């Protein structure tokens, strides 16, 4: 219970703080990328204007000047008058000119309606041979300037920026989850200590009550045998029934609290599953007949494997499931004890054909002292049988599940590895 509470608190704290952190990182990352792209756009325009002014002043742009303006960015700068290239040969600042890019720019400018006889300034993005370029085509009558910048470096920078924020997010979320887990442990420590003290007290009290109850029952039996008055013997029998009921409650509480405080131990001995099933069938056959339930043992044709478990605890678990099926299903409905081998698991199922359990109550039936509405007045049951079964299943390393029986009813299935 405390572990589940701790997990929920850690998930709540960690989830909320991680969500806030993720939102902040996404916003910061978006702003950083936008700012970087804006600065690169301004730098691109400045480079174009600088080279254009140099061309207008000197009628050419030297390779050295183009390299100086470009820095580490691959740039294309090309100009022609009436279709004739100017006499300088500067193209890419760091490689030989790429005529494919230039041709693509000319085709795109023509597609967008640029004319050699009209003033125009077009800026667009092109993809050539898998590489993207930012392009500008400047045209005045009989004069064209083509300027392009390879965007590979910028795109790599943006990917690196996004990757950095993703890394920061992963580290931040991990740190938040760790801190949340530690805080949840601190927050639940007083509750855990209180629960442990309560469980220890119940376990100690239950253990101490067993001996007095045994003496009381023995005394009641002796008094009943010595009395010859029917009224007295009837009252003594009633008292013995209540004492027996209290003894069962004390035993159930001792089992549950023993599991909660770690005092419930289970052996690990070889257990023959067929023997366990036959023994349970023999134990409950008379009880099933008394309560008018057809009781059937369903074993597979192949021999069930021997598993490593605690035979007494296993019988106690399955007895709780069988008693629950016999007590809470109408007379005349069949109850089955079924065994199967499924892969690396041996599954033992208690199947009844009663009214079944609604989906909304399937988890609740394993809670302590939970009883369905129709059985709350039944003083013979305390709502602990299924809780004990689930506790024992965990101690034995198995998994206890509840499913609907085809045609109506409930099926409790215990899976144990072999």
């Amino acid at each position: 219970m405390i572990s589940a509470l701790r997990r929920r608190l850690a998930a709540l704290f960690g989830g909320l703080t991680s969500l806030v952190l993720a939102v902040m990182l996404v916003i910061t990352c978006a702003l950083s990328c936008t700012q970087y792209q804006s600065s690169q756009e301004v730098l691109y325009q400045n480079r174009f204007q600088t080279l254009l002014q140099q061309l207008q002043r000197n009628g050419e742009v030297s390779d050295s000047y183009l390299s100086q303006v470009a820095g580490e960015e691959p740039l294309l700068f090309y100009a022609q008058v009436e279709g004739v290239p100017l006499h300088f040969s500067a193209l890419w600042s760091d490689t030989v000119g790429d005529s494919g890019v230039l041709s693509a720019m000319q085709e795109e400018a023509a597609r967008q309606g640029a004319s050699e006889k009209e003033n125009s300034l077009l800026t667009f993005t092109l993809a050539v041979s898998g590489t993207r370029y930012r392009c500008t085509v400047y045209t005045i009558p009989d004069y064209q300037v083509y300027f392009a910048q390879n965007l590979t470096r910028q795109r790599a920078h943006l990917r690196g920026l996004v990757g950095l924020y993703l890394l920061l997010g992963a580290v931040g979320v991990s740190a938040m989850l760790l801190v949340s887990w530690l805080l949840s442990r601190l927050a639940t420590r007083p509750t855990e200590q209180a629960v442990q003290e309560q469980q220890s007290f119940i376990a100690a009290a239950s253990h101490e009550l067993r001996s007095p109850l045994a003496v009381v029952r023995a005394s009641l039996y002796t008094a009943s045998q010595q009395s010859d008055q029917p009224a007295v013997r009837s009252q003594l029998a009633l008292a013995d029934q209540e004492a027996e009921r209290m003894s069962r409650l004390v035993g159930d509480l001792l089992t549950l609290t023993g599991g909660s405080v770690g005092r419930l131990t289970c052996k690990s001995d070889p257990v023959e599953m067929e023997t366990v099933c036959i023994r349970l069938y023999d134990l409950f056959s008379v009880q099933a007949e008394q309560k008018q339930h057809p009781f059937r043992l369903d074993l597979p044709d192949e021999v069930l494997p021997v598993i490593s478990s605690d035979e007494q605890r296993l019988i106690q678990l399955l007895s709780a499931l069988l008693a629950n099926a016999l007590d809470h299903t109408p007379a005349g409905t069949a109850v089955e004890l079924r065994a199967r081998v499924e892969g690396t698991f041996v599954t033992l199922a208690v199947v009844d054909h009663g009214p079944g359990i609604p989906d909304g109550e399937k988890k609740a039936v394993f809670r302590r002292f939970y009883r369905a509405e129709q059985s709350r007045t039944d003083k013979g049951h305390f709502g602990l049988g299924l809780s004990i079964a689930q506790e024992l299943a965990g101690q034995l390393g198995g998994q206890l599940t509840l499913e609907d029986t085809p045609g109506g009813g409930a099926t409790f299935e215990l899976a144990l590895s072999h």
Side-chain angles (χ1 to χ4, degrees):
M1 180 178 66
I2 298 299
S3 298
L5 175 62
R6 185 181 298 129
R7 287 193 297 270
R8 292 192 185 99
L9 287 175
L12 178 62
F13 297 156
L16 289 177
T17 53
S18 297
L19 179 61
V20 172
L21 176 63
V23 170
M24 292 179 61
L25 287 175
V26 168
I27 294 175
T28 305
C29 180
L31 291 175
S32 298
C33 291
T34 301
Q35 183 178 9
Y36 174 75
Q37 289 176 314
S38 299
S39 65
Q40 290 299 309
E41 179 63 29
V42 171
L43 183 59
Y44 172 83
Q45 295 295 338
N46 289 339
R47 284 170 173 163
F48 171 69
Q49 294 296 332
T50 299
L51 294 173
L52 184 60
Q53 291 173 6
Q54 176 71 8
L55 177 64
Q56 291 172 342
R57 284 198 304 267
N58 301 329
E60 67 176 3
V61 177
S62 64
D63 289 340
S64 60
Y65 188 80
L66 179 59
S67 298
Q68 181 181 351
V69 172
E72 296 182 356
E73 294 290 340
L75 297 178
L76 173 98
F77 190 75
Y78 179 80
Q80 63 183 21
V81 177
E82 296 182 350
V84 179
L86 297 183
H87 63 274
F88 68 92
S89 60
L91 288 171
W92 294 107
S93 62
D94 60 351
T95 61
V96 178
D98 188 346
S99 58
V101 177
L102 181 59
S103 300
M105 290 175 63
Q106 292 171 336
E107 292 175 0
E108 180 64 20
R111 192 186 67 82
Q112 295 192 27
S115 173
E116 297 180 359
K117 303 298 181 181
E118 298 177 358
N119 296 336
S120 64
L121 179 64
L122 300 176
T123 299
F124 47 84
T125 301
L126 282 179
V128 180
S129 301
T131 304
R132 299 190 68 82
Y133 301 88
R134 181 184 289 111
C135 307
T136 297
V137 178
Y138 174 66
T139 303
I140 58 176
D142 302 326
Y143 189 86
Q144 295 85 37
V145 175
Y146 297 89
F147 179 68
Q149 178 177 321
N150 190 320
L151 298 179
T152 301
R153 291 177 182 271
Q154 292 184 27
R155 292 168 66 85
H157 181 84
L158 287 173
R159 286 194 296 270
L161 196 61
V162 172
L164 175 62
Y165 277 97
L166 288 176
L167 178 61
L168 290 175
V171 173
V173 168
S174 300
M176 289 297 182
L177 292 176
L178 177 61
V179 171
S180 298
W181 176 253
L182 294 176
L183 289 177
S184 68
R185 288 183 63 87
L186 291 176
T188 57
R189 184 171 296 171
T191 304
E192 183 178 11
Q193 291 175 347
V195 170
Q196 287 179 345
E197 291 174 359
Q198 182 188 49
Q199 298 284 7
S200 297
F201 169 76
I202 294 175
S206 300
H207 183 74
E208 293 299 324
L209 284 171
R210 301 180 88 175
S211 296
L213 284 171
V215 174
V216 168
R217 293 197 66 193
S219 299
L220 289 171
Y221 176 79
T222 301
S224 175
Q225 295 297 314
Q226 294 177 352
S227 175
D228 55 359
Q229 300 181 22
V232 173
R233 297 185 68 174
S234 176
Q235 292 298 319
L236 291 174
L238 180 61
D240 183 65
Q241 290 178 3
E242 291 300 311
E244 191 272 337
R245 178 170 173 266
M246 185 177 292
S247 296
R248 286 191 288 108
L249 175 60
V250 168
D252 290 347
L253 289 175
L254 191 60
T255 299
L256 287 174
T257 54
S260 299
V261 299
R263 296 178 182 173
L264 182 62
T265 58
C266 291
K267 300 177 182 178
S268 182
D269 298 325
V271 177
E272 295 182 358
M273 301 305 295
E274 287 188 358
T275 302
V276 169
C277 293
I278 294 172
R279 181 177 175 186
L280 284 166
Y281 179 77
D282 293 339
L283 287 173
F284 282 89
S285 292
V286 175
Q287 183 178 344
E289 183 178 357
Q290 292 174 346
K291 295 187 177 183
Q292 300 178 4
H293 286 288
F295 186 37
R296 189 166 69 95
L297 176 61
D298 183 4
L299 295 176
D301 295 333
E302 68 271 16
V303 177
L304 292 175
V306 175
I307 69 170
S308 179
S309 187
D310 188 320
E311 183 174 344
Q312 295 303 318
R313 294 297 187 188
L314 184 57
I315 290 176
Q316 184 182 3
L317 188 164
L318 293 170
S319 296
L321 297 179
L322 287 168
N324 179 77
L326 295 175
D327 291 340
H328 294 93
T329 54
T333 57
V335 174
E336 303 173 32
L337 175 60
R338 182 185 302 163
R340 292 289 184 271
V341 178
E342 299 178 357
T344 60
F345 292 92
V346 175
T347 60
L348 301 171
V350 174
V351 183
D352 69 61
H353 298 274
I357 299 174
D359 291 340
E361 297 184 11
K362 279 187 169 61
K363 292 184 179 180
V365 295
F366 292 105
R367 292 206 307 259
R368 298 178 184 183
F369 300 104
Y370 177 86
R371 289 182 293 178
E373 188 67 29
Q374 62 270 21
S375 64
R376 290 188 184 278
T377 57
D378 183 2
K379 294 183 179 181
H381 302 90
F382 309 102
L384 293 177
L386 295 180
S387 299
I388 292 174
Q390 188 180 55
E391 182 72 39
L392 290 172
Q395 295 293 331
L396 293 171
Q399 184 176 7
L400 181 62
T401 57
L402 168 59
E403 301 292 341
D404 292 328
T405 302
T411 298
F412 290 88
E413 187 173 88
L414 174 67
L416 297 168
S417 61
H418 66 83

